[in-house]
Amino acid sequence: MKDTIVIPVAALRRMFVMLLVLIALILVILVVRTQLFRAGITSLFAPSAAELIDRSLYQAVFLTNGSTYFGKLQEQGSDWFILTDVFYLSVSDQSGTQLIKRGTEPQGPKEPMIISRQQVLFIENMRDDSDIVTLIKKFKSGQLPTATAPPPTAAPTTGRPSATPSPSR
């Protein structure tokens, strides 16, 4: 019996106990994870908006009031977004659709645009070859004329009764 291997019973017990502890630990993790998902606490396992916003691209930010803005978006804490290099589209019967650089409106807004998270309907990272991004690049390189917001006496662009223009829907 020179070819036999002898394993002490105590070592077998230790391995069996460690295996049981490992199985119990895995089960506890699965149960806790399942309970957290049921409770709606998925943020522990899902990526945040900040992780999904591609800072090398422009974003389209769709607001609950129907406005859409284009720019570079950053998450600011848990309640706010900051949008810089802000543009929007203005649609009118006289001039068609124009790309407007935010800041030319009568109230003289300054960057950055601070947006409440509650007002954001959804956000899209825009492709670098999208029509809007192409217009923004042409605008920034001087190939497009400087577009300013329509004068306050112009017809509203969103269909809402308003004396001041508002970004397109």
Side-chain angles (χ1 to χ4, degrees):
M1 292 267 162
K2 290 184 178 183
D3 294 336
T4 61
I5 299 175
V6 177
I7 300 176
V9 174
L12 284 175
R13 275 191 216 134
R14 277 194 302 267
M15 288 189 336
F16 183 70
V17 167
M18 287 192 325
L19 184 60
L20 287 176
V21 168
L22 182 61
I23 290 171
L25 184 61
I26 290 171
L27 287 174
V28 166
I29 289 172
L30 288 175
V31 167
V32 167
R33 183 176 175 268
T34 302
Q35 292 303 317
L36 287 175
F37 274 111
R38 282 188 189 155
I41 308 173
T42 57
S43 62
L44 297 174
F45 305 102
S48 71
E51 294 170 328
L52 296 174
I53 295 170
D54 186 342
R55 291 184 181 217
S56 68
L57 300 174
Y58 278 90
Q59 286 74 43
V61 182
F62 297 85
L63 302 181
T64 57
N65 69 358
S67 299
T68 302
Y69 293 95
F70 309 98
K72 299 284 188 161
L73 190 68
Q74 295 178 21
E75 194 173 27
Q76 185 70 32
S78 61
D79 296 331
W80 302 96
F81 286 106
I82 303 294
L83 191 64
T84 58
D85 201 14
V86 184
F87 292 84
Y88 61 92
L89 294 176
S90 176
V91 181
S92 72
D93 293 334
Q94 297 85 12
S95 60
T97 303
Q98 284 188 307
L99 180 70
I100 308 292
K101 172 71 171 132
R102 185 174 171 271
T104 60
E105 298 81 3
Q107 74 272 22
K110 287 179 57 176
E111 291 210 5
M113 183 177 195
I114 304 164
I115 306 169
S116 168
R117 180 180 293 273
Q118 295 175 340
Q119 296 303 312
V120 175
L121 193 57
F122 63 97
I123 299 164
E124 293 178 335
N125 288 314
M126 296 170 53
R127 289 189 334 264
D128 205 35
D129 65 345
S130 72
D131 291 342
I132 299 294
V133 174
T134 301
L135 284 174
I136 291 172
K137 287 179 180 179
K138 284 182 178 180
F139 177 84
K140 292 176 88 173
S141 70
Q143 294 177 22
L144 281 181
T146 303
T148 59
T153 58
T157 59
T158 60
R160 289 179 283 170
S162 170
T164 57
S166 59
S168 69
R169 288 186 175 202

